[in-house]
Amino acid sequence: MIPVSILPMPVRVGTLLSLGLAVGLSACGGATGDAAAEPELQSGAITHFTDSTELFMEHPALIVGEAGKFAVHLTDLTDFAPLRSGRLTLRFTPRGGGAPLEVVQEAPRVPGIYGPAPVFTAAGTYDLELLVDSPQAKDRIEVPGLVVYATAADAPTAAAEEDAGIPFLKEQQWKTAGFATAFARDGNLAISFEAPAEVRAAAGRHVAVVAPAGGLLSEGTIDVALGARVRRGQVLALVSPTLGASGATFADARARWREAEDEFARAKRLFAAEAIPERRVHEAEIRLAATREALAAVGGGAVTAEGRVEVVAPIDGVIADRSMVAGARVEPGTSLFTIVDASVVWVVIHVPTDRIASLDRTGPARFRVEGSDEPVIATRLLATSGVVDTLTRSIPVTYAVDNATGTLRIGAIARAAVPTVVRGSGVIIAAAALLEEDGRSYVYVQTSGERFARREVTVAGLEGTRALITSGLAAGDRVVTGAAYQVRLASLSTAVPAHGHEH
């Protein structure tokens, strides 16, 4: 194993160091020649982060007089894109004294990848300084303790290759939209707890449309198939009324109501002119009330010129249920349609009674609906019920959630992370790093420049865009915070990714 030590650096945020791994360079092509005749020499791979740049560097065993071609990958940490231009200087300073060896490359051979090939004239231990001068970043990176051997016979041979994690190459990272990583850090956040939840229709946004009168049904003026979107006031169906309990058809009852209405208006005018006594006005008012009640008995609503009653949509929404059959006979109050407006839904969380006192009523709740890995944030707390569910010993807490995209389905079951006013300590990461499978949370940790490992974690709290982790991670672990799902897909692939580095 090549001895390596880490020197303190003024701009260094953290370092992932892996030297002397055979897998490091064998993924990039490795040594050439007859492997049976000559054992493969130990190569090196180094991953290092500053505030602005990520270095991932691979190199072969360094032998005096042989051009050791390096593969230097540089990533701009402001957007995790490759450095596309700029000069890179590598300065190797021997610890035993003497002039440093300096190699300059004016531009990357391909975006993000430099390929310098220094030739050493003396064996020994060297400290490497990389100077980055690019429009994207200006940086100084130190890599201590590179060992140069006098002959190939002096260099150690490669150890047997071991499973080094999930491969996700730099070329893949650079091409993945939104890919990002960050160090986990110590901190404290509000503790949260998990509770079951369900998605319900908001009040006034789930309406049953019934027949306003008894009679025969016919189609309305628009499509009313399941899933059809309707507007308030649109005609969904028509009812041809039959005899009501009063013995009069709907049209007759409506005509009598109109006559009584006209008579009442005329009586008021005559009374104002002192042409009739007030008693006549009172009698006309009584007849008007009686005809209105008769009309209600056979069904009220808009009527077409043909005497058919219109069944209209009372709200904007989608037809969620349809029991209407054209030509069927219905009674007043028969359910014909159900209309749901799901642009805003309610998420009802069943909070255990022993947790309700610690509930943070100002913080957002975070939940995942069954069948989806996408988290949803609920910020508008509407109500906390004053009634305990005797079966589950829980109290319903209701949040309103905007659902303009329609991704939340009425009746869906969810698991919610409910915020509390209690704070706890642990490791802080971006909430976007969290993935979930079978009810367990996990993240992907970058173990080297192109290798990742899955870690199951315990999530103790969520606050805004941050998550509190109490087990599974340590401060200084480099966590995938953007496009973590793409790393998951890479972990499921059985194919070995082709390496595109230029050497």
Side-chain angles (χ1 to χ4, degrees):
M1 178 67 71
I2 302 174
V4 175
S5 61
I6 303 297
L7 297 182
M9 304 180 204
V11 295
R12 182 168 60 87
V13 175
T15 300
L16 301 173
L17 190 58
S18 172
L19 288 180
L21 296 178
V23 68
L25 206 64
S26 62
C28 299
T32 59
D34 188 351
E38 295 184 12
E40 185 177 359
L41 300 182
Q42 197 170 64
S43 57
I46 299 164
T47 303
H48 182 87
F49 296 88
T50 70
D51 287 339
S52 60
T53 311
E54 176 190 350
L55 165 70
F56 173 55
M57 182 174 69
E58 299 170 299
H59 65 82
L62 303 178
I63 309 298
V64 170
E66 297 183 8
K69 187 173 181 180
F70 283 59
V72 181
H73 312 69
L74 292 173
T75 302
D76 178 1
L77 292 183
T78 61
D79 57 4
F80 290 85
L83 261 61
R84 296 181 176 85
S85 63
R87 174 188 300 156
L88 175 65
T89 302
L90 283 76
R91 183 178 297 129
F92 299 87
T93 302
R95 289 186 179 177
L101 170 64
E102 189 169 287
V103 180
V104 177
Q105 189 169 334
E106 294 297 332
R109 295 187 178 182
V110 296
I113 305 177
Y114 293 79
V119 178
F120 295 89
T121 58
T125 301
Y126 290 75
D127 294 326
L128 170 61
E129 180 183 32
L130 297 96
L131 303 176
V132 181
D133 186 6
S134 166
Q136 293 171 262
K138 297 187 184 301
D139 215 339
R140 174 177 173 272
I141 306 170
E142 294 181 354
V143 178
L146 296 180
V147 177
V148 178
Y149 298 94
T151 65
D154 297 327
T157 56
E161 183 175 337
E162 298 179 359
D163 182 8
I166 302 164
F168 195 60
L169 307 185
K170 280 300 170 193
E171 290 84 351
Q172 292 173 282
Q173 297 171 32
W174 292 333
K175 292 176 182 178
T176 300
F179 177 83
T181 64
F183 285 112
R185 302 181 185 279
D186 289 323
N188 67 85
L189 284 183
I191 297 292
S192 62
F193 61 89
E194 279 202 348
E198 57 186 307
V199 181
R200 295 181 183 175
R205 295 174 182 266
H206 186 280
V207 180
V209 182
V210 300
L216 297 177
L217 281 173
S218 58
E219 298 286 354
T221 59
I222 64 167
D223 175 23
V224 288
L226 284 175
R229 182 166 294 278
V230 297
R231 305 288 296 176
R232 179 180 180 180
Q234 286 183 312
V235 178
L236 308 179
L238 298 168
V239 179
S240 299
T242 56
L243 289 177
S246 64
T249 64
F250 176 84
D252 288 341
R254 188 175 179 86
R256 291 175 183 174
W257 170 69
R258 286 176 174 172
E259 289 174 0
E261 196 173 40
D262 291 341
E263 183 181 344
F264 178 60
R266 180 173 177 272
K268 288 194 295 182
R269 290 195 302 270
L270 292 173
F271 174 73
E274 299 182 353
I276 60 172
E278 185 178 4
R279 175 178 55 80
R280 295 278 300 276
V281 177
H282 183 57
E283 291 172 351
E285 186 177 14
I286 292 174
R287 281 194 296 274
L288 176 60
T291 57
R292 184 182 293 115
E293 291 174 2
L295 178 63
V298 294
V303 179
T304 66
E306 297 81 18
R308 294 186 295 176
V309 184
E310 294 179 343
V311 180
V312 299
I315 62 170
D316 296 345
V318 172
I319 301 292
D321 185 41
R322 168 185 166 142
S323 54
M324 175 201 146
V325 178
R329 185 179 299 276
V330 295
E331 297 297 326
T334 301
S335 178
L336 303 179
F337 306 97
T338 299
I339 300 176
V340 175
D341 175 9
S343 59
V344 175
V345 297
W346 285 358
V347 176
V348 180
I349 303 173
H350 302 282
V351 177
T353 54
D354 61 345
R355 295 276 199 169
I356 199 70
S358 65
L359 178 68
D360 181 2
R361 288 170 170 79
T362 62
R366 177 188 176 101
F367 65 94
R368 282 187 171 89
V369 176
E370 59 180 350
S372 173
D373 290 328
E374 291 298 319
V376 179
I377 307 299
T379 59
R380 285 184 286 162
L381 175 62
L382 293 183
T384 300
S385 175
V387 179
V388 176
D389 186 316
T390 56
L391 183 62
T392 62
R393 306 305 302 169
S394 65
I395 296 175
V397 177
T398 303
Y399 289 81
V401 180
D402 291 330
N403 187 38
T405 59
T407 54
L408 299 178
R409 305 289 185 179
I410 306 298
I413 303 300
R415 293 293 299 177
V418 186
T420 73
V421 295
V422 181
R423 300 189 70 83
S425 298
V427 174
I428 307 298
I429 64 171
L434 294 171
L435 297 175
E436 190 173 290
E437 185 176 352
D438 296 330
R440 296 190 298 271
S441 297
Y442 64 94
V443 299
Y444 285 103
V445 174
Q446 185 176 6
T447 56
S448 68
E450 296 182 330
R451 296 284 170 165
F452 297 81
R454 171 172 162 158
R455 299 267 185 88
E456 191 169 315
V457 297
T458 301
V459 182
L462 293 163
E463 188 176 286
T465 60
R466 301 182 300 164
L468 175 66
I469 308 300
T470 53
S471 69
L473 284 178
D477 286 339
R478 190 80 183 181
V479 179
V480 179
T481 58
Y485 193 75
Q486 299 304 314
V487 181
R488 179 180 184 274
L489 293 180
S491 72
L492 299 176
S493 174
T494 57
V496 178
H499 210 299
H501 299 337
E502 289 202 5
H503 288 68

